[in-house]
Amino acid sequence: MCDCGPSYSARRRHDGAFLDRLARGLARAMDHALDADDLARRDGLLQRLDPRVKLAGLLTLIVVAVFVKSLAVLGSLFLVAVALALPSQVSLPRLAKQVWLKVFAFTVLIALPAVFLVPGTVVARLPVLLWPVTLQGLRSAAFLLGRAETAATFALLLILCTPWPHVLKALRVFRAPIVLVAILGMTHRYIFVLLESAAQMFASRRSRMVGPLSPRDRRRVATATAGVLLDKALLLSTDVQLAMAARGYRGEVRLIDDFHATPVDWLALAGFAAVASAALWLQA
Amino acid sequence: MTPAFEVVDVHYAYQDAPALQGLTLTIEQGQRVALLGANGSGKSTLLQLLDGLQFADRGAVSAFGEVLSEARLQDDETAFAFRRRVGLVFQNPDVQLFCPTVFDELAFGPLQLGWSKDEILARVDATLAEFSIAPLKHRPPHRLSGGEKKRVALASVLILNPEVLLLDEPTAGLDPQSASELIDYLVKCQGSGRTVITATHDLDIVEDIADRCFVLQSGRLAAAGAASEILDDAALCRSAHIAHAHYHRHGDSVDHHHHHRHTGEASPVAGKASRGSA
């Protein structure tokens, strides 16, 4: 028996794991999207609001969170975000997993040097290295972290509590170009078709795998799949163009919405405006 | 009455692969027609030519007495008038459902034709109710089953109430219940004055949805006639690859075929399956 490499069965398992990983990655992407879609259609506080009101209100709060200059006000805005999440069926563990931990890990890396580099009152020193930790440095880092966490929480609430097509259509309130909205909408639509197609291709490849794949072959499978998918996407785009033409499309994009703002929506808009104004007034 | 479509000596090729070769046929207004043929026989291409999405390399396709040409359909007014009269339901609903939600899908056609917002909203609601898909109104297409997708695709075309409905393999990939609901709708079209042209190789449904059949083979017209005449011609059906060797009819039954074995034979062929009534 050759002992120059892993056994056949070990390589076979490895190849299977490689294809499994790809298939699982695609399935995870689908699951995430479908899960978010489900949440957006549940009956919750934010879900019940007109998408235009949600977009305007939450974007305003994001802007205020970015510009606010008081840590206490920033903390209050963060609490507002949490207070909006709970009645909207967005759980704290979900927020922690999807936003807080990721933003924390990323922002701390950026904010860390400021703790030592910003000159000011030294409140402590790093053990061994004896680098000074300044009050002003801690403040800068806290602002960066607080702004990032608060803004990301509001943004996630908007995405999780509003079906993506409605978010896009609501962007028209802010005069987003109609072509951009239509293209993003179609991209969102066909990502699912292509994801499904890719998942099926990997499943089919896996079902016919009777021998181990070398690293080169594994790369070949991945790139070949990407190539075939691109080809399918091109064919699909041609057919979609014909389907659009068949229903009267003449090159000019037109959109319609059936959004209906109710008194509750106007009240919610006033609420968003009141929170934003209060935050700006308090920090001033 | 002017025919709905006249196809005269039409040739069409995809690069070097001929799809239609000297095809000539006429479809009268109000007629329910089935285009029969195996995969690659040119059915889908013919539907796209009839819908003015592709244009013949040679020969002519006329709709309502006017030749369909690329130049003619460049004119917005002519194109809109034509789209208003002729609707095509594609075989793959994922191709047809390109909008983010069912509501947008149904509103797409009317929006392109310049209907007012109130008119569109009212018509969308009426169509959703007519096709029993109101609960799907805000659903994105990727959250629909195959049968629901087909129904939405059909509704997205019929919202314009076209005079001619072109259907490409309408029952392909559908479960029996969904297929039956779709066929029921097409049966209802009988006597409505609407011209319905269905491309299919599903012989089970032909007599329900069509009065006249055209059999295509390699882009040529192999036969034309009443649905019952065509279906009775087992040799023709076999030569056109739309029925297999076991296909035959008993009296007035729609179609019937057996997979069977003869007692004593060793071959473990499947027991027996039959479609339609004997």
Side-chain angles (χ1 to χ4, degrees), chain B:
Chain B
M1 193 191 280
T2 317
F5 293 104
E6 271 185 297
V7 177
V8 181
D9 192 27
V10 161
H11 293 253
Y12 185 87
Y14 294 99
Q15 289 165 344
D16 290 334
L20 297 175
Q21 305 182 71
L23 187 70
T24 298
L25 53 87
T26 302
I27 296 169
E28 300 298 337
Q29 290 192 39
Q31 217 170 33
R32 297 186 313 148
V33 169
L35 301 175
L36 304 177
N39 292 333
S41 59
K43 305 186 297 290
S44 298
T45 305
L46 176 58
L47 286 183
Q48 293 193 2
L49 260 70
L50 296 180
D51 199 31
L53 296 174
Q54 311 280 4
F55 299 94
D57 297 333
R58 241 168 61 212
V61 176
S62 304
F64 312 107
E66 303 272 356
V67 173
L68 277 181
S69 67
E70 203 163 2
R72 206 172 147 253
L73 288 179
Q74 287 294 325
D75 174 51
D76 278 355
E77 207 170 306
T78 311
F80 286 148
F82 179 73
R83 298 286 165 226
R84 182 79 178 70
R85 297 180 82 177
V86 182
L88 168 63
V89 179
F90 284 70
Q91 178 177 354
N92 177 3
D94 277 328
V95 164
Q96 179 138 9
L97 306 184
F98 45 78
C99 293
T101 65
V102 170
F103 166 80
D104 293 303
E105 203 59 64
L106 263 63
F108 183 86
L111 260 179
Q112 306 311 308
L113 300 188
W115 294 12
S116 71
K117 183 174 178 177
D118 288 343
E119 197 180 359
I120 293 172
L121 294 179
R123 193 76 191 104
V124 167
D125 283 340
T127 308
L128 286 167
E130 189 185 341
F131 285 84
S132 311
I133 49 175
L136 311 177
K137 184 176 180 182
H138 293 296
R139 207 94 54 92
H142 61 263
R143 304 302 296 262
L144 303 177
S145 69
E148 288 170 340
K149 279 183 187 175
K150 281 272 186 185
R151 241 187 307 164
V152 173
L154 187 63
S156 70
V157 169
L158 287 174
I159 192 170
L160 297 173
N161 197 20
E163 289 169 40
V164 179
L165 178 61
L166 308 170
L167 297 149
D168 196 355
E169 299 288 0
T171 54
L174 289 187
D175 58 70
Q177 175 71 29
S178 306
S180 155
E181 284 170 7
L182 190 70
I183 292 161
D184 285 348
Y185 181 83
L186 297 176
V187 169
K188 272 194 248 164
C189 287
Q190 189 174 20
S192 67
R194 176 174 283 147
T195 310
V196 182
I197 303 170
T198 311
T200 184
H201 46 217
D202 184 355
L203 299 189
D204 288 358
I205 66 170
V206 171
E207 275 190 325
D208 292 330
I209 61 163
D211 310 311
R212 189 167 169 74
C213 294
F214 293 104
V215 181
L216 302 188
Q217 201 171 4
S218 306
R220 296 186 179 92
L221 188 64
S228 55
E229 283 171 27
I230 298 289
L231 294 176
D232 275 336
D233 193 340
L236 169 71
C237 292
R238 278 199 293 276
S239 71
H241 302 289
I242 50 175
H244 63 53
H246 306 133
Y247 175 83
H248 60 274
R249 291 162 62 86
H250 294 279
D252 292 332
S253 66
V254 173
D255 80 285
H256 187 94
H257 74 268
H258 307 281
H259 292 271
H260 60 273
R261 68 176 167 190
H262 299 282
T263 312
E265 280 182 1
S267 172
V269 180
K272 177 179 176 180
S274 79
R275 291 183 290 168
S277 57

Side-chain angles (χ1 to χ4, degrees), chain A residues 30 39 75 125 145 156 162 177-178 193 203 215 225 243 253 284:
Chain A
M30 287 274 280
L39 185 56
R125 283 190 181 273
L145 191 62
L156 190 77
T162 320
I178 196 165
V193 176
T225 306
V253 180

Side-chain angles (χ1 to χ4, degrees), chain A residues 29-84:
Chain A
M30 287 274 280
D31 285 346
H32 272 310
L34 296 179
D35 187 35
D37 209 39
D38 282 337
L39 185 56
R41 287 165 207 285
R42 278 190 212 157
D43 189 24
L45 174 70
L46 285 174
Q47 286 89 336
R48 280 196 292 268
L49 294 182
D50 184 302
R52 295 167 298 182
V53 169
K54 261 183 287 187
L55 188 69
L58 290 171
L59 282 184
T60 306
L61 293 182
I62 289 172
V63 171
V64 171
V66 169
F67 286 105
V68 85
K69 287 175 185 156
S70 154
L71 276 175
V73 173
L74 196 53
S76 306
L77 282 174
F78 183 78
L79 290 178
V80 168
V82 173
L84 286 174

